[in-house]
């Protein structure tokens, strides 16, 4: 049975840098509050005209180049996003069109911040069962166009950024590398704890002027509740993946947690008793890019030489749904 290995990584972020001070001009917040509560110093927001499919395309081209694989070898696309370019069809087919890969399947994954880990689990299964050999797995978000950039929306608006990260997942017969295990979870009892109510097919009409007036089209969150669950579920998911593969926390060379809040990453690191140098964070520069945070961080970690062949990489995520999950990969 072939194994699924990550053969190349890439990312793309908008060139428009939005600092914490830029936000203080439009809402009642401060650089000090944002840094202390979240660790975020700046984020990237798209300029008008940039689409998620365009960023995903650039991230995929970088990943294919690193893998030294031509786009024509790709036989499936998995794209994770909670902010699709359009209500339908999914962003995956727009990416497929940009890549010129007519005919191959394009699957959009709706698992929010855990979307990339869910997508990796699907790619791993497809490769193991022999259905596909070379898969582009992408996380992409444009959060900025959906945020309430005023004091009323400050709890959410300061957190999120835009960007795309991609990996080439390919079949390998090398026993010494590849995805070892993935573990996925969800708990819909908390669906409204972090969500966006409108536009929605459950409403008649999907969005009304009253919805717009009351801000139901903006995302909302009980931040403390999400924080509490994230800080508990992420270490649990790491321990679950380690137990399933007979490994220990000391075996992990690099942990890339979903980038929601530097304080959450720090709590996860402490609970797992990992030294600082074994946890990769870049939320300081990008904010929370949801499904894109893990592949952007992974691509940066690779470019900084933080992963060597044979290293044990652990990915872990938590987000809206709630959804959460983990993956262990022998690099
Ligand atoms: O991707 C996964 C999903 N997201 C997360 O995992 C996020 C999880 N939650 C968090 O990261 C944190 O809960 C936040 C960063 C969102 C908030 O930090 P907190 O320490 O939990 O603050 P809080 O919500 O308890 O708010 C404290 C105060 C409030 O004022 P009062 O009621 O104490 O007067 C807020 O109104 O901070 C106020 N506040 C702000 N002040 C300045 C909320 N947002 C801001 C802001 N600037 N941007």
């Amino acid at each position: 049975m072939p194994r699924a290995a990550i053969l190349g990584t890439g990312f793309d972020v908008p060139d428009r840098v939005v600092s914490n001070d830029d936000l203080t001009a439009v809402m009642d917040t401060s650089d000090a509050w944002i840094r202390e509560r979240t660790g975020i110093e700046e984020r990237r927001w798209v300029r008008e005209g940039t689409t998620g499919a365009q960023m995903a395309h650039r991230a995929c081209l970088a990943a294919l180049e690193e893998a030294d694989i031509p786009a024509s070898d790709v036989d499936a696309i998995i794209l994770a996003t909670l902010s699709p370019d359009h209500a339908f069809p999914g962003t995956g087919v727009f990416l497929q069109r940009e890549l010129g890969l007519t005919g191959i399947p394009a699957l959009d994954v709706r698992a929010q911040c855990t979307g990339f880990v869910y997508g990796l689990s699907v790619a791993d299964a497809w490769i193991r069962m022999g259905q596909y050999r070379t898969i582009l797995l992408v996380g992409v978000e444009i959060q900025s166009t959906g945020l309430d950039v005023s004091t009323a929306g400050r709890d959410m608006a300061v957190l999120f950024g835009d960007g795309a990260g991609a990996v080439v997942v390919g079949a390998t017969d090398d026993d010494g590398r590849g995805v070892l295990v993935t573990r996925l979870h969800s708990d819909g009892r908390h669906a409204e704890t972090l969500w966006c109510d409108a536009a929605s097919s459950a409403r008649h009409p999907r969005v009304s002027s009253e919805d717009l007036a009351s801000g139901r089209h903006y995302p909302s969150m009980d931040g403390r509740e999400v924080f509490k669950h994230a800080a508990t579920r992420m270490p649990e998911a790491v321990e679950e993946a380690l137990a399933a593969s007979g490994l220990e926390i000391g075996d992990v060379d690099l942990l890339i947690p979903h980038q929601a809040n530097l304080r959450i990453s720090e709590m996860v690191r402490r609970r797992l008793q990992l030294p600082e140098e074994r946890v990769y964070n870049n939320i300081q520069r990008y904010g929370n890019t949801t499904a894109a945070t893990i592949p952007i961080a992974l691509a940066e970690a690779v470019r900084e030489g933080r992963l060597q062949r044979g290293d044990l990489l652990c990915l872990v995520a938590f987000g809206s749904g709630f959804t959460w999950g983990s993956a262990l990969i022998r690099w």
Side-chain angles (χ1 to χ4, degrees), residues 30-273:
S30 67
D31 178 52
W33 191 96
I34 301 170
R35 276 178 201 252
E36 277 165 26
R37 304 283 179 135
T38 73
I40 299 167
E41 294 165 21
E42 60 188 35
R43 73 286 292 140
R44 306 296 184 99
W45 283 0
V46 291
R47 295 175 201 281
E48 202 167 345
T50 299
T51 67
Q54 289 168 354
M55 289 195 292
H57 183 216
R58 288 190 284 267
C60 286
L61 293 182
L64 287 164
E65 190 181 337
E66 191 178 276
D68 197 19
I69 287 175
S72 54
D73 278 10
V74 173
D75 38 32
I77 291 170
I78 301 173
L79 185 144
T81 189
L82 69 65
S83 53
D85 285 346
H86 302 281
F88 72 88
T91 304
V93 295
F94 292 96
L95 169 63
Q96 181 207 40
R97 190 169 72 187
E98 298 264 352
L99 287 161
L101 296 174
T102 307
I104 68 165
L107 171 70
D108 275 44
V109 173
R110 294 284 309 268
Q112 299 68 248
C113 301
T114 321
F116 184 81
V117 177
Y118 268 66
L120 183 64
S121 186
V122 174
D124 180 42
W126 276 352
I127 285 174
R128 281 177 196 263
M129 70 194 278
Q131 185 151 353
Y132 303 111
R133 286 192 66 80
T134 308
I135 298 171
L136 274 173
L137 169 61
V138 195
V140 57
E141 302 290 355
I142 295 182
Q143 294 279 8
S144 58
T145 53
L147 297 169
D148 177 2
V149 187
S150 74
T151 299
R154 65 182 181 176
D155 60 329
M156 299 291 282
V158 302
L159 299 179
F160 292 97
D162 305 337
V167 297
V168 179
V169 188
T172 177
D173 295 323
D174 180 351
D175 276 357
R177 68 185 298 203
V179 177
L180 304 180
V181 65
T182 58
R183 285 291 181 269
L184 308 177
H185 297 281
S186 66
D187 185 350
R189 290 176 301 174
H190 302 279
E192 291 91 358
T193 308
L194 170 51
W195 77 323
C196 188
D197 191 3
S200 123
S201 57
R203 296 186 157 274
H204 301 248
R206 291 185 177 186
V207 63
S208 65
S209 48
E210 193 228 314
D211 290 333
L212 295 176
S214 60
R216 272 195 210 101
H217 59 303
Y218 292 127
S220 63
M221 163 174 82
D222 179 343
R224 284 188 189 181
E225 193 65 10
V226 178
F227 191 110
K228 197 176 72 189
H229 283 266
T232 310
R233 294 304 191 190
M234 289 210 281
E236 274 175 15
V238 171
E239 280 162 358
E240 185 190 8
L242 286 167
S245 45
L247 293 161
E248 293 176 3
I249 192 67
D251 296 320
V252 174
D253 294 292
L254 193 66
L255 174 74
I256 301 184
H258 169 59
Q259 302 289 291
N261 185 319
L262 201 54
R263 283 157 60 214
I264 296 177
S265 291
E266 184 56 15
M267 285 177 80
V268 171
R269 184 187 75 74
R270 285 191 190 176
R271 282 200 196 172
L272 292 168
Q273 297 187 303

